[in-house]
Amino acid sequence: MRLIKNILQDKNLPPCVATIGFFDGLHKGHRYLIDQVKAVAGRERKVSAVITFPVHPRKVLHSDYQPALLSTLNEKISNLEDTGIDECFLIPFTKELSLLSAHDFMQEVLKRQCNVSTLVIGYDHRFGHNRKEGFEDYVRFGKEIGIEVLQAQPFQVWDTAISSSACRTFLQEGKVEHAAGCLGYLYKLSGEVVSGYKVGRTLGFPTANLDVTDKDKLIPARGVYAVKVLLRGIPYKGMLNIGYRPTLNNGNESSIEVNILDFSGEIYKETLSVEFVGRIRDEIRFSSIEELVSQLQDDEKQARKLVQL
């Protein structure tokens, strides 16, 4: 995949069949849309392309907006490479760009800068200032500008159209298996191991406190999860807790702690990733440390069953 970060410097771009969107998470619906782009490009013998943005548009317009992203920029680019798309236009979203009407955006950015000859639109996608125009308007503008506009078919799972919002909802409810079904892969968090309370090791379950690198990344609901851990390039089974550790009275500061099974060693300040395989249970306040340890032993058994390496 050719990554184009500065369209003004790339002259004489070939005509392309393209789609546009933020593509957060690059879920199954996005991939189905991209497959349609590739199919049209193949029939027309043209380059296939995705046009996207490095920063969520709403964050540019509202600095206090917290997007709760499903993927970092690097993860999104990596996922796009996996689709087999020919080109990815990475266009900085600016306030000036947000003021362009759909017609002017199509003319100035899509046609003049990206040389889009065919635009494949997601079934519910809108763009342009205030997003007030719809598909019929895009078709009409395209005829004036010289862009054929096609509407893609939606991808459905469980009789529901897949969307980034649906994936976020599943994760916010702790339904990581449902989220994986929509995304087409296990949801992942990455970050640095930071200093914690170090209580877990006294209970026989030493944990690594994970400080997620991208603060805009969505954190799933509080609870205990079975996870696949990638550390130093090696996969491990693990169990992870998101929450306040109420039994240990650690206050109001939420943490992400992962117990890496069958691993021992110092990993402070190292980077690791966790992929959510399944939810084991809610976070619970236990009446005693002994009861907590007994539950952790059951959690470990569940994690070992759920995680396949």
Side-chain angles (χ1 to χ4, degrees):
M1 181 184 77
R2 181 186 179 194
L3 184 62
I4 302 172
K5 295 183 178 181
N6 193 329
I7 52 179
L8 297 179
Q9 289 183 354
D10 282 273
K11 305 296 182 182
N12 303 315
L13 290 169
C16 66
V17 177
T19 189
I20 181 171
F22 187 63
F23 299 108
D24 186 27
L26 204 74
H27 53 64
K28 287 182 176 179
H30 292 143
R31 293 170 189 267
Y32 185 59
L33 169 62
I34 290 172
D35 284 343
Q36 293 175 71
V37 171
K38 291 164 56 183
V40 174
R43 290 196 299 269
E44 297 184 3
R45 296 185 179 180
K46 292 178 181 175
V47 171
S48 61
V50 163
I51 299 168
T52 191
F53 310 101
V55 178
H56 197 287
R58 286 181 63 184
K59 188 167 185 179
V60 174
L61 299 176
H62 308 284
S63 59
D64 59 344
Y65 175 67
Q66 298 295 322
L69 297 178
L70 299 171
S71 57
T72 65
L73 176 59
N74 287 339
E75 288 169 350
K76 178 165 68 173
I77 291 172
S78 177
N79 287 337
L80 283 169
E81 285 184 320
D82 291 340
T83 67
I85 200 78
D86 294 318
E87 294 179 342
C88 173
F89 291 90
L90 199 60
I91 300 177
F93 191 87
T94 63
K95 291 185 178 180
E96 292 74 20
L97 191 68
S98 73
L99 295 175
L100 291 179
S101 66
H103 177 280
D104 290 348
F105 181 80
M106 290 177 68
Q107 184 174 56
E108 294 300 315
V109 179
L110 300 187
K111 186 65 177 179
R112 187 174 67 83
Q113 297 181 24
C114 299
N115 199 13
V116 175
S117 62
T118 303
L119 180 66
V120 183
I121 294 291
Y123 76 100
D124 63 346
H125 186 71
R126 289 174 178 259
F127 57 84
H129 184 59
N130 292 331
R131 303 171 67 181
K132 60 183 179 181
E133 291 93 351
F135 177 72
E136 291 76 14
D137 299 301
Y138 305 149
V139 172
R140 177 163 48 86
F141 299 154
K143 289 179 179 177
E144 297 173 13
I145 297 167
I147 298 177
E148 182 182 9
V149 181
L150 306 175
Q151 189 167 40
Q153 296 300 310
F155 182 84
Q156 294 187 316
V157 173
W158 307 305
D159 296 324
T160 301
I162 298 301
S163 67
S164 296
S165 295
C167 295
R168 291 189 197 98
T169 298
F170 284 137
L171 291 169
Q172 289 163 345
E173 294 175 349
K175 299 175 180 177
V176 294
E177 301 96 332
H178 286 67
C182 292
L183 292 168
Y185 56 88
L186 299 177
Y187 186 67
K188 180 172 71 173
L189 293 176
S190 299
E192 182 181 284
V193 177
V194 297
S195 181
Y197 292 99
K198 300 180 180 179
V199 177
R201 65 183 63 184
T202 68
L203 305 178
F205 293 90
T207 60
N209 270 48
L210 184 65
D211 182 24
V212 176
T213 303
D214 191 329
K215 302 309 177 186
D216 286 335
K217 195 82 186 281
L218 187 153
I219 306 300
R222 296 201 307 262
V224 178
Y225 297 88
V227 296
K228 184 183 297 184
V229 183
L230 186 64
L231 174 65
R232 302 170 183 169
I234 301 172
Y236 295 91
K237 295 183 178 184
M239 57 181 186
L240 176 145
N241 182 80
I242 298 173
Y244 301 99
R245 305 193 303 177
T247 307
L248 302 175
N249 296 315
N250 288 141
N252 297 322
E253 186 176 346
S254 180
S255 62
I256 303 172
E257 297 178 283
V258 57
N259 175 228
I260 309 172
L261 303 179
D262 305 316
F263 173 84
S264 62
E266 182 57 62
I267 56 173
Y268 177 61
K269 289 190 175 181
E270 291 198 43
T271 298
L272 63 79
S273 297
V274 292
E275 295 180 339
F276 289 79
V277 176
R279 182 179 171 88
I280 296 175
R281 61 175 172 86
D282 292 338
E283 186 177 46
I284 304 169
R285 179 187 290 275
F286 295 96
S287 58
S288 67
I289 296 297
E290 292 75 19
E291 189 179 347
L292 169 61
V293 171
S294 177
Q295 181 61 60
L296 290 175
Q297 291 170 345
D298 290 341
D299 295 342
E300 178 182 343
K301 292 176 184 177
Q302 282 289 97
R304 290 187 182 278
K305 288 179 182 178
L306 290 172
V307 181
Q308 302 297 319
L309 298 181

